[in-house]
């Protein structure tokens, strides 16, 4: 890769991937590697700058979380964030101690003008509204450093070595709660490091196509097509690279949205000209899921059954060697499947954590290092229609993780109808600017709750099921806010679901953010 690169060393923070996303937003390529990346590999990577992430650890407790300090001798700018700042201070002659007052959440940092902060502020000059998450703090500066930012409880909240272009930030600029975080990262990446902003999806296509061709050669590839954004863009990219060597397998596992199979087959026949095999395996999936209530077991069963289907289809192709998937960065992150195994697992994803060890096909994951917004940009660059590219995400396990507890066909039938009503009304309801609420939300769906509640319809008592509506707004799918949908819209959706679907008599709305909740319920 000829373009400029930023290296991010990950010490195990749950939000490290957001650093990568912010750098990519600046149109600069970056890669995230474990904190213990050998110095020879760092030199070979030839970064324009290095960013050190946060961590749940303390620099003075766990020697296993220490990077090679030779990185400070490479002559490139270094930005330490939270633990990264403490690591920098600890190993360059300063001191870090446990604070007697921890900082979690909002804080205001008073700054001085310097190369990193000049002209960047909130509300008034030399003040930044930031998000803190730390117990330890730097109590003594290394030689050559000066304080460039402080809070009442953290006198050294930011530090700088101007000559070497080393910077430490105790807060997290990568999260949206730090209002000027993007500006600070842009300043470091574009101006201090001098990286050329050439990382764009149109530029990426040729490189990705060449990589796929080199990886696959003359082999045939099977892609699990769900009709969602990720698998659709993966199909378009791989098809661009190898044409008829790609066969898409669309598996109807009985847990799809309403009319999904028909819509997907029509969409791809019309827009892509890709070979698509439609496999109805709903009985196979439903029988394996019978009696299973644990969400992790459901995900793994669904993942394993997908591979069984692909293995069956592979036998029909004479040269099939690869299984392609639309795996993207957030899938890998939440499964703790990134290169750094120090991150805590939140949940497995069927296409990351649910694949059997004896799988016969090799994996081809051309989107694995891309964030959702980059995937959408790539889809547009590949010529896919907007309604396909900007469709809300749909999980690989489908309704299997939107039906809480045991999966039954009855539950799936009720849920898919409720979900369809919700999506219809989001598409057909607009704000004062003429924007649909479907486009204003990042992901919206219904969840089936396996409990019954008492209701009254007409003069009779009902005892039927409950569905929850979930809609979120997010820019990265790492953090999310619940969507503040109009009451009138929620009321209409509720009335339609209860009146049109026999078996549901109560609708609730989920107002949880991520964190502490996840976007999906399971």
């Amino acid at each position: 890769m000829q373009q400029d690169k930023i290296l991010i060393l990950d010490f195990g923070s749950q939000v490290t991937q957001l650093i990568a996303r912010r750098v990519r937003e600046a149109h600069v390529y970056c890669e995230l590697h474990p904190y213990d990346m050998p110095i020879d590999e760092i030199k070979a990577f030839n970064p324009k700058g290095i960013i050190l992430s946060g961590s749940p650890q303390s620099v003075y407790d766990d020697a296993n979380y220490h990077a090679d300090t030779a990185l400070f001798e490479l002559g490139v700018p270094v930005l330490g964030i939270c633990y990264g700042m403490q690591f920098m201070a600890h190993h360059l002659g300063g001191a870090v101690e446990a604070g007697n007052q921890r900082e979690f959440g909002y804080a205001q940092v008073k700054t001085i003008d310097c190369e990193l902060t000049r002209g960047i502020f909130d509300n008034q000059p030399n003040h930044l509204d930031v998000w803190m998450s730390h117990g330890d703090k730097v109590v003594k500066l290394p030689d050559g450093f000066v304080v460039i930012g402080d809070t009442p409880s953290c006198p050294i909240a930011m530090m700088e070595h101007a000559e070497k272009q080393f910077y430490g930030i105790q807060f997290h600029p990568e999260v949206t709660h730090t209002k000027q975080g993007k500006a600070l990262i842009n300043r470091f990446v574009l101006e201090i490091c001098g990286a050329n902003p050439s990382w764009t999806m149109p530029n990426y296509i040729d490189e990705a196509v060449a990589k796929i061709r080199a990886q696959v050669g003359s082999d045939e590839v099977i892609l699990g097509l769900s009709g969602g954004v990720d698998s659709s863009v993966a199909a378009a990219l791989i098809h661009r690279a190898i044409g008829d060597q790609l066969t898409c397998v669309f598996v109807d596992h009985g847990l799809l949205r309403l009319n999904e199979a028909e819509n997907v087959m029509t969409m791809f026949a019309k827009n892509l000209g890709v070979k698509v095999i439609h496999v109805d395996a709903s009985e196979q999936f439903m029988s394996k899921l019978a009696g299973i209530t644990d969400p992790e077991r459901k995900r793994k069963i669904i993942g394993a059954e997908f591979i069984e289907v692909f293995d069956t289809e592979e036998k029909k192709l004479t040269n099939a060697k690869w299984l392609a998937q639309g795996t993207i960065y957030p899938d890998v992150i939440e499964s703790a499947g990134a290169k750094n195994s120090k991150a805590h697992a939140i949940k497995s994803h069927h296409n990351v954590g649910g694949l059997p060890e004896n799988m016969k096909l090799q994996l081809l994951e051309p989107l694995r290092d891309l964030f959702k917004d980059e995937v959408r940009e790539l889809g547009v660059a590949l010529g896919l229609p907007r309604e396909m590219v900007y469709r809300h995400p749909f999980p690989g396990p489908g309704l299997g993780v939107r039906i809480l507890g045991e999966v039954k066909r009855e539950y799936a039938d009720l849920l898919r109808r409720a979900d369809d009503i919700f999506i219809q009304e989001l598409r057909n309801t607009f704000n004062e600017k003429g924007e649909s609420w479907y486009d204003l939300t990042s992901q919206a769906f219904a969840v089936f709750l396996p409990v019954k509640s008492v209701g009254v319809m007409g003069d009779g008592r009902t005892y039927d099921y409950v569905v929850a509506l979930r809609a979120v707004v997010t820019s990265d799918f790492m953090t999310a806010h619940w969507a503040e949908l109009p009451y009138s819209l929620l009321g209409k959706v509720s009335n339609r679901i209860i009146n049109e679907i026999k078996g549901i008599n109560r609708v609730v709305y989920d107002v949880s953010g991520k964190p502490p909740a996840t976007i999906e319920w399971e």
Side-chain angles (χ1 to χ4, degrees):
M1 187 174 295
Q2 301 302 313
Q3 55 202 330
D4 292 342
K5 297 172 286 189
I6 297 294
L7 173 64
I8 302 166
L9 293 182
D10 182 14
F11 291 87
S13 168
Q14 287 289 350
V15 294
T16 299
Q17 309 293 339
L18 292 181
I19 304 173
R21 188 177 183 280
R22 302 297 173 238
V23 175
R24 299 275 187 90
E25 285 177 344
H27 299 297
V28 174
Y29 183 76
C30 64
E31 286 186 12
L32 190 148
H33 289 268
Y35 63 89
D36 56 357
M37 183 180 186
I39 193 64
D40 289 344
E41 293 183 16
I42 294 177
K43 291 178 180 177
F45 186 76
N46 192 30
K48 294 286 287 186
I50 298 174
I51 300 178
L52 310 176
S53 84
S55 173
Q57 304 299 314
S58 296
V59 293
Y60 48 78
D61 281 345
D62 191 344
N64 291 329
Y65 274 64
H66 293 176
D68 192 325
T69 55
L71 67 88
F72 295 116
E73 301 169 9
L74 298 179
V76 300
V78 180
L79 172 64
I81 295 175
C82 197
Y83 178 94
M85 170 181 171
Q86 297 164 14
F87 173 83
M88 181 185 294
H90 181 73
H91 287 283
L92 294 180
V96 177
E97 296 178 357
N100 54 16
Q101 181 178 347
R102 300 190 299 173
E103 283 188 305
F104 291 97
Y106 168 81
Q108 188 174 73
V109 175
K110 186 176 181 181
T111 66
I112 65 171
D113 280 338
C114 66
E115 191 173 8
L116 182 64
T117 63
R118 189 171 297 114
I120 300 175
F121 57 86
D122 289 298
N123 302 319
Q124 57 180 315
N126 301 117
H127 285 80
L128 290 171
D129 295 331
V130 305
W131 189 73
M132 291 279 195
S133 180
H134 70 102
D136 297 340
K137 60 184 179 182
V138 177
V139 295
K140 176 187 173 185
L141 289 171
D143 291 343
F145 281 79
V146 297
V147 176
I148 59 173
D150 66 87
T151 73
S153 60
C154 187
I156 307 177
M158 301 177 71
M159 65 182 192
E160 172 196 60
H161 191 303
E163 182 181 352
K164 294 185 176 180
Q165 294 186 303
F166 292 167
Y167 304 88
I169 298 178
Q170 187 56 70
F171 55 87
H172 287 268
E174 67 271 33
V175 301
T176 56
H177 304 74
T178 297
K179 298 178 182 178
Q180 299 299 326
K182 182 176 181 179
L184 290 169
I185 290 177
N186 283 0
R187 174 68 55 79
F188 176 76
V189 169
L190 298 175
E191 298 183 31
I192 294 173
C193 297
N196 181 33
S198 60
W199 170 253
T200 65
M201 289 302 99
N203 292 342
Y204 174 68
I205 290 175
D206 290 342
E207 179 181 325
V209 164
K211 184 177 180 180
I212 292 168
R213 287 173 179 167
Q215 190 174 3
V216 171
S218 60
D219 296 339
E220 292 186 22
V221 178
I222 300 177
L223 181 141
L225 183 63
S226 70
V229 176
D230 304 331
S231 66
S232 297
V233 174
L237 179 61
I238 297 169
H239 187 254
R240 173 78 64 92
I242 61 173
D244 287 344
Q245 291 170 243
L246 171 67
T247 299
C248 292
V249 179
F250 178 72
V251 179
D252 184 350
H253 47 33
L255 300 167
L256 300 172
R257 289 173 283 204
L258 191 66
N259 300 322
E260 182 79 354
E262 296 85 350
N263 293 338
V264 168
M265 295 299 292
T266 300
M267 183 188 304
F268 276 83
K270 177 181 178 181
N271 292 300
L272 286 179
V274 176
K275 292 187 295 185
V276 183
I277 298 172
H278 181 195
V279 181
D280 184 354
S282 56
E283 289 297 331
Q284 178 179 338
F285 279 82
M286 287 295 183
S287 63
K288 290 294 179 69
L289 289 168
I292 305 299
T293 60
D294 178 73
E296 286 296 281
R297 287 191 65 194
K298 288 195 291 185
R299 287 178 181 274
K300 292 183 184 298
I301 288 170
I302 291 170
E305 291 307 305
F306 265 114
I307 301 306
E308 288 294 325
V309 173
F310 291 131
D311 276 350
T312 299
E313 295 303 321
E314 179 264 339
K315 293 181 176 64
K316 302 175 184 178
L317 300 174
T318 58
N319 199 28
K321 301 289 178 60
W322 299 86
L323 167 63
Q325 294 192 135
T327 306
I328 65 172
Y329 240 161
D331 300 335
V332 178
I333 298 160
E334 291 195 340
S335 298
K339 295 175 182 178
N340 182 4
S341 61
K342 296 294 184 180
H344 294 175
I346 304 300
K347 61 185 178 182
S348 67
H349 289 259
H350 83 282
N351 56 346
V352 181
L355 300 178
E357 295 181 1
N358 62 348
M359 189 178 71
K360 300 175 183 178
L361 302 173
Q362 300 179 74
L363 276 180
L364 177 64
E365 298 176 313
L367 311 181
R368 186 180 178 89
D369 294 326
L370 301 184
F371 291 101
K372 179 67 73 172
D373 57 330
E374 292 177 318
V375 172
R376 295 188 194 280
E377 290 175 21
L378 179 60
V380 171
L382 286 166
L384 295 178
R386 188 183 188 282
E387 61 269 20
M388 179 191 294
V389 173
Y390 285 91
R391 194 179 190 195
H392 286 187
F394 189 66
L399 303 183
V401 290
R402 293 180 178 175
I403 297 171
L404 302 195
E406 183 179 5
V407 176
K408 296 181 179 181
R409 190 175 294 275
E410 171 199 0
Y411 298 166
D413 289 340
L414 291 172
L415 179 57
R416 78 177 96 249
R417 293 174 61 196
D419 185 78
D420 185 61
I421 289 172
F422 188 26
I423 299 303
Q424 283 180 32
E425 294 303 331
L426 286 171
R427 289 188 182 278
N428 296 332
T429 307
F430 303 86
N431 67 2
E432 63 279 358
K433 297 180 181 179
E435 302 164 308
S436 79
W437 279 101
Y438 183 85
D439 290 333
L440 290 168
T441 55
S442 307
Q443 189 168 359
F445 53 90
V447 179
F448 181 86
L449 308 184
V451 294
K452 288 187 173 183
S453 70
V454 174
V456 177
M457 290 186 180
D459 294 325
R461 174 186 185 272
T462 62
Y463 190 56
D464 290 325
Y465 291 108
V466 181
V467 294
L469 306 179
R470 176 75 157 146
V472 298
V473 176
T474 177
S475 60
D476 49 40
F477 290 85
M478 295 293 296
T479 61
H481 298 285
W482 62 276
E484 297 183 29
L485 301 179
Y487 292 154
S488 57
L489 170 57
L490 291 171
K492 187 174 183 180
V493 173
S494 176
N495 285 340
R496 282 196 60 193
I497 289 174
I498 293 171
N499 287 327
E500 296 177 25
I501 306 174
K502 185 178 180 180
I504 297 174
N505 71 353
R506 193 176 298 270
V507 177
V508 299
Y509 187 54
D510 182 351
V511 294
S512 309
K514 176 187 180 180
T518 55
I519 294 177
E520 297 286 347
W521 277 43
E522 287 194 339

